[in-house]
Amino acid sequence: MSPRRRQFLQVACTVAACGAAPWPAAAWAAQAGSLELWAGDPLQHGHGDAQGAKARFFDPRGLCADPRGGVLVADAANAMVRRIAPDGMVSSLAGVPELRKTVEGPAAKAGFVGPDALAVGADGSIYVADSYANTLRVLRDGVVSLLAGADQLPGYADGAGAQARFNHPVGIAVDPRSGDLLVADAYNHTIRRVGRDGLVSTLGGTPGINEHRDGPLRHALFNTPVGIAVHGDGSIYVSEYFNHDLRRISPHGEVSTLAGLAGQPGDLDGPGPRARLRRPQQIAFDAAGVLYIVDAGNRKLRALGRDGVLRTVAGRADGELAEPGPLPASLGTPYGVAPGPGGTIAVSSGQAVLLVRSAA
């Protein structure tokens, strides 16, 4: 696996070209707070278990909240699962640094190809989207095993365990109602469901068709879904990289667009239909039910409140490097997001994990 980040096709679109009217400045004014370095060095890659800036990551990507406190990290180019404790102490949970091949077995000897996202089940099991291997793995009771998919064999097939096929599964989330794993199967343009027994089924989307269609889930279409999160009411939220939008699947199976305009990238805060995103990546809910979106193409962290308004929380479009300081600060190249300790929001960027701390 190449150590550099995956690069997707970039499509330019100005706010004027998108045809969206300006939203009042008060709606997008930066909130008070700060951006802090939590662990790693944004410009120095490697592998090192240590505290804060002394720790080293190699392309940290997906994040998820650790039930014990802190945050779990999909350390992609190191091909490992790491943990950051609330005090910034980094430890390695599974994988061998830069092994980059599939190995089942005890966590310390297990191997991943390129883990991109993580999710935690109610029993403490850690699910891993090993995107470059096109598999889903599970770390349970200190052992890493295959849940579904075939090692480095991209494709599309529902079925049990190794009989199933994925094409670059990226976002994953656990459905709290069933305990099943929900998967944003990016290059198949589908949303999949994986039971604890490894049985894979398709919830929505049609493989090979990258479009946008709202309505009943069985007829809905998606375009490169990459982020997925589940609300307490059972609604499933999906970010779409090439549709530049945020979708919602209701508990009754109706798909709607909450923010952004399909195929129209931009950078604009405001009510959902008027807001604009550019190549959104991971998404995550906080304890208050606010949805955070890594707006990667705009180098920003955005938030969709219960009022349906999209707001910028941190980052600047011209901020090429992570620069901690008063918000909005600069996020550099954000990718993953998860609730952090003490009401913060953790964001992965470059070779580090940052904390966004609100003064409110």
Side-chain angles (χ1 to χ4, degrees):
M1 181 187 73
S2 169
R4 65 183 178 84
R5 285 184 177 273
R6 292 189 298 273
Q7 298 296 319
F8 292 84
L9 176 66
Q10 297 186 8
V11 182
C13 174
T14 63
V15 170
C18 292
W23 181 242
W28 52 261
Q31 67 182 72
S34 62
L35 179 69
E36 305 169 6
L37 176 65
W38 190 21
D41 182 322
L43 300 178
Q44 298 291 328
H45 73 266
H47 174 267
D49 287 345
Q51 190 168 30
K54 295 182 179 180
R56 291 293 179 267
F57 298 97
F58 197 175
D59 195 18
R61 300 181 70 79
L63 307 177
C64 77
D66 179 0
R68 298 178 300 156
V71 164
L72 303 180
V73 183
D75 196 3
N78 267 327
M80 301 183 71
V81 177
R82 315 280 295 279
R83 176 180 184 265
I84 312 176
D87 64 358
M89 184 66 194
V90 176
S91 57
S92 297
L93 300 185
V96 177
E98 298 190 53
L99 179 62
R100 299 175 191 158
K101 69 177 182 179
T102 297
V103 179
E104 311 291 356
K109 297 181 179 180
F112 302 92
V113 178
D116 205 295
L118 304 169
V120 180
D123 65 352
S125 298
I126 300 174
Y127 297 94
V128 183
D130 199 353
S131 302
Y132 279 97
N134 293 298
T135 59
L136 299 170
R137 316 277 292 286
V138 59
L139 170 58
R140 182 180 292 137
D141 299 326
V143 176
V144 175
S145 59
L146 176 73
L147 180 65
D151 183 27
Q152 300 187 65
L153 291 177
Y156 171 80
D158 286 340
Q163 296 176 346
R165 295 291 183 272
F166 297 90
N167 195 351
H168 208 65
V170 181
I172 56 175
V174 174
D175 185 338
R177 299 168 301 172
S178 64
D180 292 345
L181 190 68
L182 303 175
V183 183
D185 192 6
Y187 293 165
N188 275 327
H189 313 291
T190 55
I191 308 301
R192 317 283 291 276
R193 180 184 291 275
V194 188
R196 284 179 53 86
D197 58 359
L199 184 62
V200 179
S201 58
T202 299
L203 288 180
T206 301
I209 300 180
N210 54 332
E211 296 289 347
H212 176 279
R213 182 192 293 159
D214 286 337
L217 183 55
R218 64 182 180 276
H219 298 307
L221 295 175
F222 299 87
N223 188 351
T224 324
V226 291
I228 192 165
V230 184
H231 189 271
D233 67 2
S235 297
I236 301 169
Y237 289 72
V238 178
S239 59
E240 295 183 281
Y241 194 91
F242 281 131
N243 267 339
H244 310 285
D245 63 11
L246 181 70
R247 314 279 290 280
R248 175 181 181 265
I249 304 171
S250 77
H252 304 294
E254 286 291 320
V255 180
S256 58
T257 302
L258 295 185
L261 181 64
Q264 298 293 321
D267 183 4
L268 189 65
D269 287 352
R274 299 175 67 181
R276 295 293 180 267
L277 297 160
R278 189 185 306 273
R279 301 188 299 278
Q281 291 279 12
Q282 271 210 337
I283 59 178
F285 282 101
D286 71 3
V290 175
L291 184 67
Y292 288 86
I293 306 107
V294 171
D295 190 5
N298 288 318
R299 300 190 176 102
K300 294 181 177 181
L301 178 66
R302 318 284 289 277
L304 186 73
R306 288 180 290 181
D307 58 0
V309 175
L310 189 74
R311 296 176 173 87
T312 295
V313 176
R316 306 190 312 268
D318 62 350
E320 296 184 4
L321 299 176
E323 297 177 358
L327 295 181
S330 175
L331 288 176
T333 54
Y335 185 91
V337 62
T344 62
I345 300 297
V347 179
S348 60
S349 177
Q351 309 300 335
V353 179
L354 312 170
L355 289 180
V356 178
R357 189 180 302 276
S358 173

